[in-house]
């Protein structure tokens, strides 16, 4: 999470670090009010020598020497907007989004610009939905004076029983099939109904008249005698593979992609959760599916080499 606050001065290799924009502004304001350098240093959260150097530089009209900054004021405003849109992003994610906006800057530069703006990385406090709602309702004009750690905008929602939905989906090396949201506990009868109304149409969509082998996890409803009979009656071969081996199932990786894209979503109920999942699923590209299927020989080799132990896949 990224939050905005005044930064604390620090020392690197025996040399006083540069003041942030917030610290410079605080120093200039207090200096004009006639405060001593000791008081200014305490208020700005930096060393007294840093305050003295900054004041002397401003009095003598000297500017900081060194290479010209590689980002413009417009680039910096773009960065500030990205940070404020979602304070829960980390520096790497912010840097990726900033460069995607056309800014040529390193991750270190991104971090430095954020520090200049007064932003710093913090672990967000958690609050239940009830606490967060009550906190938002009690907000007043004095919000600027309260600690940002308790600002409702910076609290990460936490619920004791988070919303969940049960989903069935299918993929091939070409694309994904439409999702099916299940309303009840999955037993053999429910699963066979899903196969009838979703898997068979998906197979026609993904394979046409071509042959295929169906892979599924080995839940009781999937591997029961009645379900096995269903597959035989419909002439669909099922892949025989070890139980509890997610490294060998590309669907696990695909669901991982979906979950990562949902990390910032905050659905309040099951319907909102479904509404979040649907567009993410439809945006999965054929290239992503092909890469996952194409990786299976390497996954298999890695599992064999690890003798069944977990792998990077």
């Amino acid at each position: 999470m990224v939050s905005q606050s005044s930064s604390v001065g620090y020392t690197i290799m025996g040399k006083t670090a540069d003041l942030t924009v917030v610290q410079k502004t605080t120093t200039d304001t207090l200096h004009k009010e006639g405060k001593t350098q000791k008081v200014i240093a305490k208020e700005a959260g930096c060393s007294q020598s840093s305050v003295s150097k900054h004041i002397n530089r401003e009095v003598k009209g000297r500017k900081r020497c060194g290479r010209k900054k590689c980002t413009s004021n417009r680039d910096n405003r773009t960065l500030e907007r990205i940070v404020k849109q979602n304070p829960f992003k980390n520096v790497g994610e912010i840097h990726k989004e900033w460069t995607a906006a056309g800014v040529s800057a390193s991750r270190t530069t991104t971090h430095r610009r954020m520090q200049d703006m007064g932003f710093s990385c913090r672990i967000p406090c958690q609050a239940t939905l009830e606490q967060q709602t009550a906190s938002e309702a009690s907000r007043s004009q004095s919000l600027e004076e309260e600690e940002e750690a308790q600002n409702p905008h910076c609290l990460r929602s936490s619920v004791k029983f988070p919303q969940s939905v049960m989903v069935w989906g299918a993929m091939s090396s070409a694309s994904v099939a439409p999702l099916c949201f299940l309303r009840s506990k999955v037993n053999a009868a429910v699963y066979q109904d899903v196969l009838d109304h979703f898997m068979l149409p998906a197979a026609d969509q993904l394979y046409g008249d071509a042959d295929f082998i169906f892979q599924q996890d080995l839940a009781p409803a999937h591997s029961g005698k009645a379900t096995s009979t269903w597959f035989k009656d419909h002439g669909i071969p099922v892949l025989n593979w070890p139980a509890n081996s997610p490294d060998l199932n590309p669907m696990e990786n695909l669901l991982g992609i979906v979950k990562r894209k949902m990390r910032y979503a905050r659905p309040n109920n099951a319907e909102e959760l479904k509404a979040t999942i649907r567009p993410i699923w439809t945006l999965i590209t054929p290239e992503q599916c092909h890469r996952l299927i194409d990786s299976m020989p390497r996954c298999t080799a890695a599992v064999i080499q690890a003798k069944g132990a977990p792998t990077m896949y």
Side-chain angles (χ1 to χ4, degrees):
M1 172 192 172
V2 176
S3 64
Q4 190 172 22
S5 61
S6 58
S7 301
V8 178
Y10 54 93
T11 303
I12 301 177
M13 298 292 290
K15 181 179 178 181
T16 304
D18 293 327
L19 299 181
T20 66
V21 173
V22 175
Q23 289 172 325
K24 290 178 181 178
T25 303
T26 302
T27 299
D28 293 338
T29 301
L30 296 179
H31 179 64
K32 290 178 181 179
E33 294 176 358
K35 302 293 185 182
T36 65
Q37 292 184 4
K38 184 176 181 180
V39 172
I40 295 174
K42 184 177 180 180
E43 290 294 328
C46 61
S47 65
Q48 187 172 338
S49 61
S50 297
V51 172
S52 176
K53 289 180 180 179
H54 175 71
I55 293 175
N56 291 334
R57 184 183 294 119
E58 293 298 319
V59 170
K60 295 179 181 179
R62 293 184 301 174
K63 294 185 178 180
R64 184 177 181 270
C65 60
R67 189 173 59 181
K68 183 180 179 181
K69 290 186 176 181
C70 64
T71 59
S72 64
N73 291 335
R74 182 178 181 180
D75 295 334
N76 296 337
R77 288 195 297 271
T78 300
L79 176 61
E80 185 175 9
R81 185 171 62 253
I82 291 172
V83 174
K84 289 183 176 180
Q85 281 176 348
N86 194 326
F88 295 101
K89 290 181 180 178
N90 57 43
V91 176
E93 293 168 331
I94 292 173
H95 170 249
K96 185 176 180 180
E97 190 170 342
W98 197 31
T99 54
V103 180
S104 178
S106 66
R107 188 181 186 280
T108 302
T109 298
T110 303
H111 191 198
R112 188 181 300 117
R113 294 292 180 273
M114 291 168 59
Q115 288 181 320
D116 290 342
M117 296 173 187
F119 292 107
S120 56
C121 294
R122 297 286 187 267
I123 298 176
C125 297
Q126 289 194 344
T128 63
L129 290 176
E130 292 81 1
Q131 290 173 333
Q132 192 167 11
T133 301
S135 180
E136 290 176 349
S138 63
R139 293 178 67 182
S140 64
Q141 296 299 323
S142 62
L143 177 61
E144 291 81 6
E145 300 177 1
E146 64 185 20
E147 289 200 19
E148 192 174 15
Q150 301 303 322
N151 186 331
H153 179 67
C154 298
L155 294 176
R156 186 182 293 276
S157 297
S158 174
V159 293
K160 190 172 183 179
F161 301 103
Q163 294 295 332
S164 64
V165 293
M166 190 167 293
V167 181
W168 182 93
M171 66 173 291
S172 72
S173 60
S175 184
V176 294
L179 285 178
C180 168
F181 290 97
L182 306 176
R183 297 182 178 181
S184 61
K185 184 178 180 180
V186 179
N187 53 30
V190 172
Y191 184 57
Q192 290 169 41
D193 190 57
V194 171
L195 296 175
D196 277 322
H197 294 91
F198 289 90
M199 194 277 281
L200 292 179
D204 290 337
Q205 172 188 333
L206 299 174
Y207 295 99
D209 295 331
D211 295 331
F212 67 92
I213 299 177
F214 186 68
Q215 183 181 17
Q216 59 180 355
D217 63 45
L218 299 179
H222 300 178
S223 56
K225 184 180 294 185
T227 304
S228 299
T229 301
W230 186 96
F231 282 115
K232 290 179 181 178
D233 292 342
H234 289 79
I236 298 175
V238 178
L239 181 66
N240 184 21
W241 63 301
N244 299 322
S245 50
D247 294 347
L248 298 175
N249 189 347
M251 179 60 75
E252 297 289 343
N253 301 93
L254 189 63
L255 293 177
I257 293 174
V258 174
K259 290 178 180 179
R260 286 194 294 274
K261 290 182 179 295
M262 292 176 57
R263 71 178 69 177
Y264 301 118
R266 297 184 181 182
N268 294 316
N269 51 56
E271 291 305 316
E272 290 185 9
L273 179 56
K274 292 178 184 179
T276 303
I277 296 173
R278 287 190 184 98
I280 295 176
W281 182 261
T282 56
L283 289 176
I284 294 172
T285 64
E287 290 76 18
Q288 288 176 304
C289 295
H290 180 77
R291 284 197 299 268
L292 290 176
I293 298 298
D294 193 52
S295 70
M296 290 313 298
R298 299 192 299 273
C299 294
T300 303
V303 171
I304 294 174
Q305 183 176 6
K307 297 181 180 180
T311 69
M312 62 175 291
Y313 297 96

